[in-house]
Amino acid sequence: MDPLDIARWQFGITTVYHFLMVPLTIGLGVLVASLQTAWHVTGREHYLRMTKFWGKLFLINFIMGVATGIVQEFQFGMAWSEYSRFVGDVFGAPLAMEALLAFFVESTFLGLWIFGWKRLPKAVHLACIWCASLATVFSAYFILVANSWMQHPVGTELVDGRGVMTDAWAVFTNNTALVTFPHTIFGAFAVAGAFLLGIAWFHLYKRRAAGIDTVDATGRVVVGEDTSRGRNRDKTDYRVWITSLRLGAVVALISFLGVAFSGHAQAQLMFEQQPMKMAAAEAACHDGTGFSVLSIGNLSADGATTCEDIVAVYEIPGLLSFLANDDFTTEIKGVNTLLPEYQEKYGTHLPDDPMYGERAGQEINYLPLMEVTYWGFRMMITFGGLAAFAAAVALWIVRKGTVPQRRWLSRLAVFGILAPFGANSAGWIFTEMGRQPFVVAPNPTFDGVDQVFMFTASAVSPGVSAGEMLFSLVALTSVYAVLLVVEVVLLWRYVGGGVGSAMPELNDTDDGAGQDDDVLAFAY
Amino acid sequence: MEFLPTLWFISIAVLWAGYLFLEGFDLGVGMLLGPFARSEKQRRLLINTVGPVWDGNEVWLITAAGATFAAFPHWYASLFAAMYVPLVVVLLALIFRAVAFEYRGKAETALTRRLWTLALSAGSLVIAFGVGTLLAVTTTGLPLNANGDRVGGPFAWLSWQAVLGGLAVVGFCLAQALAFLALKTDGDVRARSARLLARWAPVLLAPLAGWAVVVVAGNVRPAAVIVLAIGVAAALASWRSAARRAEGRAFLFLGLFLLASVAAIFTSAYPAVLPSTLDAAFDLTVSNASSTPYTLQLMSIVAAFGLPLVLGYQAWTYWVFRRRITEAHIPEAHAVTRIV
C-alpha cells in the first residue's frame, strides 16, 4: 500500500471528524455567553436555566474538539514532514499564534467559567465565558488563515525550494481567508441554531405528549406544569424551550443568509484562484455559462479527455456566469480548456526527483475527483438550504407558542440537527479535494506570488512506512468511532434529563437543600 | 551565534519547561488517581485539585509544538516524523485523558467509571513517558539521513537514553504531584502525599538528574555545569523540605530543580536542536533548521506580547482557586434523572 494514500485518508478522516465538534463549539459557545448575558442583565430565571443546560451540552462537546484538535497539529510533522519543511516558514506562524493567542485563553477561561460559579464576582464570571467563546472564534480565524494560504499562497517567495514569508500582512489579510472566515463562522452558527431548534422542539413535543401544555380552541398554547418531580417541568421550563427554539431558528436563518452571501463571494474568488476546482464542481467539460443542476455520465474520469461523456441533464443558463462574475454572459472555462493550461504552466509529469519516491516522473492528473467535487458542492448547498427551510417552517409553526402534537415532526426536528453538520463536512471535503493534485495550490493570477505550490505527492513524510501510517489510521479511526458513540450517548442522556441534568437542584421536591458556599460549582 | 534563532531556541526550552512545570503535577495527579486514592470521594478530590487548570496547562504542549513548527520547521518535521509510533500512542493517551476528565463524572455504571479512571491514570502515565522520550531523543539524537529523515525503521528511536528520558518525566511528575497534593488538600490525602514524597523523592528525581548529567557530560560547558549543580541542590532541598513538612518550599524547590535541569540540558545541547547519530554533518542546528529572520521577528513580537499575558491570567487562575480543598468540599454525585 502507498503511504501517501493512507496519509491522505487519515488526514481527511481526522479533519472531518474534528470539524464535527468545532462548529458546535464555536456557535454554542457564543450563544451560551449571550444567554448568560441576558440573565445577567434581566435577572430572569429562564435565561439562567438556558445558560446551564446549553452550557452543559457545550462542555460535553467542547472536550472532544480539544482532544481531536491536538491530532491535527501533530500530524503535519508526523505524516507530512516534507510539507512541513516546505511551508513551515509561513504556515507554522498562524498555527503557533492560534495556540498562544487563542487556545490558551479558551482553555484557561473555560476552566474559570466551569469552576467559577459563585466563586467569582458575577460580572467577572460572565466575562470568562465571553473570553473563552470569543477565543474559539479567534482560533478559527488563525486556522483559516493557514488553510487559505494553502488554497491561495500570498505574501511568500520561493527561496531555495521552500516557501518563505515576505509579507505577514498579506498572509493575514489573504482575500481567501477574509471570505472563508465569515463563511465558516456562519456555518458554525447554523449548526448551533439547528441544535437548539431540534432539542427544544423535542422537549416541547414531550410536554405536549405528556399533556402538560395544551392548546385552546383559538390555537393558543395554555402552559401547564408538572412539579411532581421538582421544578424541572414548570412554567419557567416551558419558557426555556420556546425561547431556545425561537432563538435557534432565528440564528439558523440569519446564518444561512450569511453563509449564502459569503459563499457567493468565496465562489467568485475560487473561479479566479482555482478554476479547475470550480470546473470540476460543475462537471463542466466545455466552456459555457450554464449551471448544471444535474449531470450524468462518468464523473470518475481520470484521463485528460474522458469528461466528454458527461451530459448535463438540466442546466440553468447564465447562472454559472452569475456565480463567477455577477453577469450572465461571460464564458467560464471548462475542464477541456483548463487542462492544457495547467499542463503548460506546471508540467505534464512529476519531476524526476527522489523526493517523489515511486511517483517520480509519473503523469500528473490535474482533474480532481469529479464525483467528490460535484456532489460535495451540491450536498453542501442542499443540506444548508434544507436547514434554513426547516428553520423558517419551524418559526411559522410555533408562532402561537408551542409545537404540534405530532411525533414525526419532532423526529424530523431532531434529525434536522444533522443537516448543517452535513453541509459543513461536504463543504470542507469539496474545498480540500478540489485542490488536488496540489497540497498548496498554485496561484494562477500571480499577484506577487509565483511558483509557490506543492504537489500532494511530494508532501508526505519520506521516512515513515506504510505500516506505521496504517497503524495510526486504524488506531485513530477506531478510537474516534468509539468516542463518537460515547459523545452522542452522553449528549442524549443530558438532553433527556432536561434542564435538571445541568441543575440537579431542580429535581429536588423539597426546597430545603442548603447551599454550601464553598462547594465546587461544576465539580468533575 | 545567530541572535533570533538562539532566542527561539531559548523560547522553546522555556515552553517545554513551562509545560513540564505546570502539567507535571496534573499528569502526576492523573497517574496517582488509580493507585493512590482510597475511595471514590478521594478520586474525585484528586481530579478536582487540577480540575480548573489542567486544560490550560496542556496548551503549553500545543504551543511548544506549534512554536517549533513556526520557528524550526525542520526540527519539527524530522522529530515528529521520526517519532511516529510513540507520538501516535501519546496522541491516543491525550485524547482519552482529556475526554476522561469531562466524562468520568458522567459515567452511569461502576464499570464505565473504572474505565475512565483507567483512561485518566494510564493516559497520564503514557503522556509523561512519551513526552520524556521525545525530549530525550531531541537531546541525544536520532538516526537521521541528509534530508533529516529517520532511517532504521519505526523503532529506530528506541535507546536507553529515550527510556531514561521517559522515566525522568514520569518520576518528576509523580514527585510534583505529591508536593502539589500536600499543598492543595487537607486531611488524609495531604498527610499521605507528604509522607510519600519524603520517602520516595530521591528515587523519583534521580532519572531526571541522570538525564541532565548524561547530556551535560556529553558537551561540558561551564554554564551548564553550574546550572546543573543548582538543579541537584534544589532537588536535595526539596527532599529535605518534604521531610520537614515545609510543603510550599518542597513544591518550589521541585520547580527549581526542573527549570535548572531543562536549562542545563538545553544549554549543553545548543546549537544542535536534533543531532543525527549517523553523521554530525546531518545534525539539525539552530541555524540550519530555523525559519527566516522575517518569520522569527514576527513570532518574537507576538510572543513578547502574548506570553506575559498568558502567564498573567494563568497565575490569576491559580490565585482564584488557591484554597485547599478537602473531601468535604466534593458535592454528592448527581445521576441524571430522565424526565422524558
Side-chain angles (χ1 to χ4, degrees), chain A residues 60 73 85 89 168 493 518, chain B residues 76 78 103 106 292 294 329:
Chain A
I60 292 173
E73 192 201 34
R85 292 195 179 107
D89 199 70
R493 189 190 300 158
D518 210 19
Chain B
Y76 169 76
S78 293
Y103 291 177
K106 300 182 171 63
T292 56
Y294 181 83
H329 289 130

Side-chain angles (χ1 to χ4, degrees), chain A residues 273-295:
Chain A
Q273 295 167 353
Q274 295 180 30
M276 186 63 98
K277 182 191 282 184
M278 292 313 279
E282 278 311 307
C285 199
H286 302 281
D287 302 359
T289 62
F291 177 90
S292 146
V293 176
L294 179 67
S295 291

Side-chain angles (χ1 to χ4, degrees), chain A residues 10 56 59-60 62-64 66-67 70-71 73-74 76-79 81-82 84-85 88-89 91-93 95-97 99-101 103-105 107-109 111-112 115-116 119-120 124 162 164-168 202-203 206 229 232-233 461-464 468-469 471-472 475-476 479-480 483 486-487 490 492-494 496-498 501 504 507 518-520 523-524, chain B residues 44 47-48 51-52 54-63 65-67 69-70 73-74 76-78 80-85 87-92 94-96 98-99 101-103 105-108 116 147-150 153-154 290-292 294-295 298-299 302-303 305-307 310 313-314 316-317 320-321 323 325 328-331 334 336-340:
Chain A
Q10 177 171 304
K56 196 80 172 183
L59 291 176
I60 292 173
F62 176 87
I63 199 64
M64 288 285 285
V66 170
I70 310 174
V71 178
E73 192 201 34
F74 276 42
F76 290 117
M78 290 165 66
S81 66
E82 283 299 323
S84 301
R85 292 195 179 107
D89 199 70
F91 184 86
L95 234 56
M97 287 184 201
L100 189 66
L101 300 182
F103 206 36
F104 264 129
V105 178
S107 48
T108 310
F109 282 89
L112 280 160
F115 285 83
R119 181 161 308 195
L120 288 167
V124 176
R162 313 211 178 275
V164 161
M165 181 152 43
T166 53
D167 185 352
F202 171 76
H203 271 283
K206 288 292 177 183
R229 276 184 294 176
N232 211 333
R233 305 189 91 179
S461 301
V464 178
E468 283 167 272
M469 298 261 192
F471 160 64
S472 60
L476 287 170
V479 165
Y480 278 16
L483 290 182
V486 173
E487 187 192 341
L490 270 182
W492 193 242
R493 189 190 300 158
Y494 277 78
S501 63
N507 293 335
D518 210 19
V519 157
L520 292 158
Y524 283 139
Chain B
R44 291 183 58 204
I47 294 174
N48 280 296
W54 72 270
D55 193 12
N57 293 345
E58 194 172 283
V59 180
W60 285 84
L61 171 70
I62 295 164
T63 309
F69 193 177
H74 300 277
Y76 169 76
S78 293
F80 277 50
M83 298 292 284
Y84 198 92
V85 170
L87 281 182
V88 172
V89 177
V90 167
L91 282 174
L92 295 173
L94 281 165
I95 293 172
F96 273 119
V99 173
F101 265 110
E102 186 65 39
Y103 291 177
K106 300 182 171 63
E108 267 194 335
W116 286 125
N147 190 44
D149 297 320
R150 178 204 65 204
S290 73
S291 289
T292 56
Y294 181 83
T295 298
L298 172 73
M299 294 300 299
V302 173
F305 163 76
L307 210 52
V310 171
Y313 59 66
Q314 288 209 334
W316 179 60
T317 308
V320 168
F321 301 109
R323 288 156 78 179
I325 59 172
H329 289 130
I330 304 297
H334 283 279
V336 175
T337 325
R338 291 197 68 92
I339 57 162
V340 290

Side-chain angles (χ1 to χ4, degrees), chain B:
Chain B
M1 173 169 135
E2 294 161 274
F3 176 68
L4 278 173
T6 302
L7 179 68
W8 271 93
F9 179 77
I10 296 169
S11 305
I12 285 165
V14 168
L15 288 170
W16 281 114
Y19 172 70
L20 294 173
F21 184 92
L22 291 174
E23 190 143 89
F25 61 79
D26 72 53
L27 284 173
V29 167
M31 287 185 241
L32 291 172
L33 196 60
F36 175 86
R38 282 182 169 149
S39 63
E40 173 59 15
K41 261 268 159 79
Q42 280 197 357
R43 271 189 286 278
R44 291 183 58 204
L45 173 64
L46 255 59
I47 294 174
N48 280 296
T49 59
V50 295
V53 295
W54 72 270
D55 193 12
N57 293 345
E58 194 172 283
V59 180
W60 285 84
L61 171 70
I62 295 164
T63 309
T68 310
F69 193 177
F72 296 98
H74 300 277
W75 180 7
Y76 169 76
S78 293
L79 180 64
F80 277 50
M83 298 292 284
Y84 198 92
V85 170
L87 281 182
V88 172
V89 177
V90 167
L91 282 174
L92 295 173
L94 281 165
I95 293 172
F96 273 119
R97 177 174 182 267
V99 173
F101 265 110
E102 186 65 39
Y103 291 177
R104 186 186 176 281
K106 300 182 171 63
E108 267 194 335
T109 65
L111 175 70
T112 46
R113 198 176 309 119
R114 263 208 299 280
L115 285 175
W116 286 125
T117 304
L118 181 70
L120 229 166
S121 266
S124 302
L125 179 69
V126 169
I127 295 165
F129 193 87
V131 166
T133 304
L134 183 83
L135 288 176
V137 300
T138 306
T139 51
T140 56
L142 284 166
L144 301 176
N145 65 19
N147 190 44
D149 297 320
R150 178 204 65 204
V151 291
F155 294 95
W157 51 272
L158 191 55
S159 60
W160 64 266
Q161 291 99 329
V163 175
L164 180 63
L167 292 177
V169 173
V170 170
F172 172 76
C173 290
L174 282 170
Q176 180 93 330
L178 291 172
F180 178 76
L181 287 174
L183 201 56
K184 190 71 196 156
T185 65
D186 217 339
D188 179 50
V189 170
R190 178 183 182 182
R192 278 168 59 219
S193 29
R195 215 177 313 131
L196 279 173
L197 181 62
R199 191 178 309 155
W200 293 100
V203 179
L204 295 175
L205 301 182
L208 179 54
W211 169 24
V213 168
V214 167
V215 177
V216 171
N219 182 15
V220 182
R221 282 207 171 97
V225 174
I226 294 168
V227 178
L228 178 61
I230 295 173
V232 172
L236 291 172
S238 74
W239 184 26
R240 223 173 89 111
S241 309
R244 292 179 171 185
R245 298 288 153 90
E247 292 158 344
R249 233 178 296 159
F251 185 78
L252 285 178
F253 276 124
L254 271 180
L256 181 61
F257 165 58
L258 173 88
L259 298 183
S261 307
V262 172
I265 288 168
F266 275 83
T267 308
S268 279
Y270 182 86
V273 294
L274 183 57
S276 169
T277 51
L278 299 182
D279 187 337
F282 303 156
D283 282 2
L284 295 181
T285 65
V286 287
S287 37
N288 71 18
S290 73
S291 289
T292 56
Y294 181 83
T295 298
L296 292 178
Q297 264 169 26
L298 172 73
M299 294 300 299
S300 304
I301 295 166
V302 173
F305 163 76
L307 210 52
L309 208 63
V310 171
L311 287 171
Y313 59 66
Q314 288 209 334
W316 179 60
T317 308
Y318 285 94
W319 176 252
V320 168
F321 301 109
R322 65 190 175 280
R323 288 156 78 179
R324 286 180 188 273
I325 59 172
T326 67
E327 289 174 59
H329 289 130
I330 304 297
E332 284 308 316
H334 283 279
V336 175
T337 325
R338 291 197 68 92
I339 57 162
V340 290

Side-chain angles (χ1 to χ4, degrees), chain A residues 100-358:
Chain A
L100 189 66
L101 300 182
F103 206 36
F104 264 129
V105 178
E106 217 174 303
S107 48
T108 310
F109 282 89
L110 200 63
L112 280 160
W113 184 71
I114 298 172
F115 285 83
W117 288 94
K118 290 182 194 153
R119 181 161 308 195
L120 288 167
K122 272 171 91 178
V124 176
H125 183 249
L126 176 64
C128 287
I129 185 70
W130 274 113
C131 285
S133 57
L134 290 180
T136 63
V137 177
F138 212 38
S139 240
Y141 168 73
F142 284 116
I143 293 305
L144 292 171
V145 162
N147 179 271
S148 298
W149 186 84
M150 297 165 77
Q151 308 281 354
H152 179 231
V154 289
T156 312
E157 265 170 30
L158 195 71
V159 178
D160 295 334
R162 313 211 178 275
V164 161
M165 181 152 43
T166 53
D167 185 352
W169 180 251
V171 171
F172 283 88
T173 58
N174 188 347
N175 53 11
T176 314
L178 296 185
V179 295
T180 307
F181 177 63
H183 194 64
T184 310
I185 296 298
F186 280 122
F189 278 100
V191 166
F195 193 73
L196 257 65
L197 195 163
I199 291 169
W201 190 295
F202 171 76
H203 271 283
L204 283 173
Y205 165 74
K206 288 292 177 183
R207 288 175 65 97
R208 287 295 308 276
I212 300 172
D213 300 334
T214 48
V215 173
D216 68 13
T218 62
R220 286 221 155 264
V221 62
V222 180
V223 179
E225 52 187 355
D226 167 19
T227 48
S228 61
R229 276 184 294 176
R231 292 173 295 132
N232 211 333
R233 305 189 91 179
D234 58 9
K235 290 189 171 170
T236 312
D237 189 59
Y238 161 80
R239 300 208 57 188
V240 165
W241 302 123
I242 192 71
T243 313
S244 295
L245 194 156
R246 288 183 170 140
L247 176 67
V250 169
V251 166
L253 277 174
I254 295 174
S255 307
F256 178 73
L257 290 179
V259 166
F261 280 108
S262 56
H264 179 56
Q266 204 180 9
Q268 293 193 321
L269 277 185
M270 233 177 255
F271 276 110
E272 190 182 300
Q273 295 167 353
Q274 295 180 30
M276 186 63 98
K277 182 191 282 184
M278 292 313 279
E282 278 311 307
C285 199
H286 302 281
D287 302 359
T289 62
F291 177 90
S292 146
V293 176
L294 179 67
S295 291
I296 55 168
N298 185 15
L299 283 180
S300 54
D302 56 355
T305 53
T306 41
C307 74
E308 284 300 343
D309 58 332
I310 296 173
V311 184
V313 178
Y314 183 67
E315 270 193 350
I316 303 175
L319 182 58
L320 191 58
S321 296
F322 175 75
L323 286 180
N325 292 307
D326 284 339
D327 69 35
F328 295 96
T329 48
T330 317
E331 292 248 308
I332 304 304
K333 288 176 181 173
V335 172
N336 283 352
T337 312
L338 288 167
L339 270 181
E341 286 184 17
Y342 273 78
Q343 283 164 346
E344 196 195 330
K345 267 186 199 159
Y346 312 112
T348 52
H349 293 79
L350 286 175
D352 227 346
D353 188 307
M355 78 188 274
Y356 291 92
E358 289 169 18

